[in-house]
Amino acid sequence: MIQKPCARPSSTLATVPVALDRPLSWLLYLAWVVPALVVAVRHIRAMVFAPEGTAPAVALATLVAVAWIGLASLPSWRCLLLDLGRILLARLHFVPLLLLTGVVVVVAPSGFAEGLGAALASLTVAAAYVSFRHHRRHFLYTLVLLGLNGLVLVGLDAVVGAYVLPLRSHNNIFIEHDPWLGWKLRRGLTVVRRERLYTAQETINAVGFRTRPLPFDKPPGVKRILFLGDSHTESYTVNDAETYPVLVEQQLTATLPVEGISLGVGGFSTDQELLAYVYYGRRYHPDLVVLQFSANDVPFNGLDRYWRGYKPRFVRAGDALLLTGVPVPNYRDSGLFGPALLRHSSLAVWLETLLRQFAIQRRVTHEVDWPEAWQVTALLLRDLARLVHGDGAQLVVFQADRDPEVETHLRQILATWAIPYVETSSAYTEDFNSYWVADHWNQRGHRAIAAVLSAALRPYVLGQR
């Protein structure tokens, strides 16, 4: 540990104008050892709680980190590192170091940013200490200027969030890459979107779905309903409290405690909905799984891309399905902004949406082999039903759009696998168009669908079927 500043002949330090004292020694020492300390603490904790899963590379990295901390504590090495730090401080002002620290923290991957960000933060504080010690008035002026620039950025971020993002397309604002699903909703984002035909507030939870945050463990005595679907289930044309999954939960809660979880994401087809159940849905331990089906699910069940981006694809081999294309490559994000920054900065989200236009292929041309697409769809429904039943739950399906030919074919498939189907045409008691806006349900449509679904699902929730 540091006991006194390192002594060096003046001739060797002639090019290093930064004088070393005890506070500066500690800050420079921390800048050198903090990255190794972060690595050591993280890996040692992992090895203690999960020793059977420790990879040789993890053990080696931990050994190197501990060895570096010990080496940096030796007097000769410590003095060398302190002198190197003094050279850096002689050539770098604390302002560029502060900016570099911010860039690393918000852009770099979390595991990398923790150690390097802490090291740069220590070096930045050391540079600020040196600047304050030698040029106090200039340092204070710099702080005031930085504060004013910070206020301008905060104000610009607020303006972008209030007046720019609400006018951006849904795909640009709310969609982020997911290696197992292709895409899902941007975690932790809330925006009031203003379209020509509607205005709606949409809130995304930390998992990446438009549903209230709930723990994966189910409380005793509570029934859980999991909703799978596309943009109809995401319900981005209405406010958070007006979606049909929320309304179904409210109506069934009058009978017994019910929690609804919605994993609906715009653009999903049946294959992604099955994978959403595998990777996310089953962790909530649902008692009932409701799959919302759409006519355009069928063609995209046989494709590896959608206009929103690349997606997984199931290839049929006889009566079995083989999953291909995972993990899905990320061609939609620039990689310039870290997830933490995108969750908290409207300005970063806006810049990312501008850059994204170069990566998204807006027009996806394809030739659909309809018999094959229907066979893949049938097997996807079969496998989803088996997974749900294996988890001790019940699968129920309903169709969102009105396509009689698709509905007839769908009901034949569901009958083959003994999957219950809910007929929702009775929801439209008046002019059909009055329930829709921009090809999706409006508030009236969601209330009507929720009423039909609540009545149809109540026996399943009560265990009467």
Side-chain angles (χ1 to χ4, degrees):
M1 299 303 293
I2 298 174
Q3 297 177 353
K4 62 180 181 179
C6 300
R8 284 288 186 273
S10 59
S11 60
T12 62
L13 298 179
T15 60
V16 184
V18 178
L20 195 65
D21 58 12
R22 184 171 291 276
L24 186 59
S25 298
W26 274 107
L27 290 171
L28 292 177
Y29 177 77
L30 289 175
W32 286 110
V33 301
V34 160
L37 187 62
V38 170
V39 171
V41 170
R42 183 193 304 117
H43 290 341
I44 289 174
R45 183 173 56 188
M47 288 189 293
V48 168
F49 290 102
E52 69 283 353
T54 301
V58 173
L60 179 61
T62 305
L63 181 62
V64 171
V66 172
W68 173 258
I69 295 173
L71 194 64
S73 300
L74 297 177
S76 57
W77 275 86
R78 185 180 72 244
C79 290
L80 173 63
L81 296 177
L82 294 183
D83 284 347
L84 290 175
R86 296 170 69 189
I87 293 173
L88 289 174
L89 293 183
R91 287 153 177 79
L92 290 175
H93 191 261
F94 88 96
V95 173
L97 283 173
L98 179 64
L99 295 177
L100 181 60
T101 302
V103 169
V104 168
V105 169
V106 300
V107 174
S110 59
F112 181 76
E114 292 174 3
L116 183 58
L120 287 173
S122 298
L123 198 60
T124 301
V125 173
Y129 173 75
V130 171
S131 181
F132 179 76
R133 190 175 62 184
H134 292 286
H135 308 285
R136 184 168 301 184
R137 178 174 294 181
H138 180 267
F139 175 75
L140 293 176
Y141 286 157
T142 303
L143 285 184
V144 172
L145 185 60
L146 286 173
L148 291 175
N149 279 277
L151 290 176
V152 170
L153 282 176
V154 171
L156 181 60
D157 192 86
V159 170
V160 169
Y163 299 103
V164 178
L165 283 189
L167 303 179
R168 302 294 294 175
S169 75
H170 180 272
N171 181 68
N172 286 331
I173 299 176
F174 283 101
I175 302 300
E176 69 177 10
H177 175 73
D178 184 276
W180 311 116
L181 307 179
W183 62 86
K184 64 177 180 180
L185 303 181
R186 189 180 298 283
R187 291 164 291 176
L189 186 66
T190 299
V191 172
V192 178
R193 291 178 51 254
R194 298 184 180 91
E195 296 286 344
R196 183 176 63 87
L197 298 176
Y198 64 89
T199 297
Q201 174 178 302
E202 187 166 359
T203 303
I204 314 303
N205 68 11
V207 182
F209 297 98
R210 189 188 190 185
T211 193
R212 63 190 176 102
L214 289 172
F216 290 122
D217 293 333
K218 183 173 61 176
V222 172
K223 296 287 186 178
R224 278 187 170 175
I225 304 177
L226 180 75
F227 296 90
L228 302 173
D230 53 27
S231 54
H232 296 285
T233 299
E234 183 189 340
S235 314
Y236 58 66
T237 56
V238 298
N239 293 322
D240 294 325
E242 299 170 332
T243 68
Y244 84 83
V246 171
L247 298 177
V248 168
E249 174 188 335
Q250 292 175 352
Q251 293 173 23
L252 291 179
T253 301
T255 304
L256 76 166
V258 172
E259 292 180 346
I261 300 102
S262 174
L263 302 189
V265 174
F268 271 12
S269 42
T270 315
D271 48 6
Q272 292 164 292
E273 290 153 4
L274 184 151
L275 293 172
Y277 176 77
V278 170
Y279 288 110
Y280 300 100
R282 68 195 319 177
R283 300 171 65 185
Y284 288 100
H285 308 286
D287 301 280
L288 181 63
V289 177
V290 179
L291 175 69
Q292 168 256 308
F293 193 87
S294 291
N296 63 359
D297 288 349
V298 181
F300 285 104
N301 284 334
L303 297 176
D304 66 349
R305 70 189 67 183
Y306 185 75
W307 68 265
R308 287 178 181 256
Y310 283 82
K311 59 185 282 292
R313 181 188 179 191
F314 285 92
V315 177
R316 187 175 67 89
D319 63 348
L321 292 176
L322 304 178
L323 179 60
T324 64
V326 290
V328 179
N330 185 4
Y331 296 127
R332 63 183 301 112
D333 295 330
S334 67
L336 296 178
F337 306 100
L341 182 63
L342 290 173
R343 283 196 295 270
H344 298 96
S345 171
S346 298
L347 182 60
V349 172
W350 177 56
L351 293 174
E352 177 69 16
T353 64
L354 296 179
L355 294 171
R356 176 175 292 177
Q357 301 309 306
F358 298 101
I360 295 178
Q361 184 178 358
R362 303 296 297 185
R363 296 182 180 179
V364 179
T365 58
H366 59 276
E367 294 183 2
V368 179
D369 182 348
W370 284 98
E372 179 64 19
W374 271 113
Q375 289 190 62
V376 171
T377 301
L379 295 178
L380 288 169
L381 292 168
R382 178 202 66 182
D383 290 351
L384 177 59
R386 290 178 178 177
L387 286 169
V388 171
H389 292 166
D391 292 336
Q394 173 67 52
L395 175 67
V396 176
V397 178
F398 78 99
Q399 185 174 338
D401 44 14
R402 298 182 71 180
D403 188 320
E405 183 178 350
V406 170
E407 182 179 15
T408 299
H409 206 155
L410 173 63
R411 297 186 73 160
Q412 292 173 353
I413 293 173
L414 297 177
T416 301
W417 308 123
I419 302 172
Y421 179 78
V422 176
E423 170 62 59
T424 57
S425 60
S426 60
Y428 311 114
T429 58
E430 299 181 20
D431 177 34
F432 178 76
N433 293 326
S434 67
Y435 296 89
W436 297 80
V437 60
D439 298 323
H440 292 78
W441 292 308
N442 56 20
Q443 289 90 340
R444 186 182 189 186
H446 278 277
R447 290 194 299 268
I449 289 296
V452 172
L453 286 178
S454 298
L457 299 179
R458 184 171 284 107
Y460 296 99
V461 174
L462 294 175
Q464 297 174 352
R465 289 190 180 180

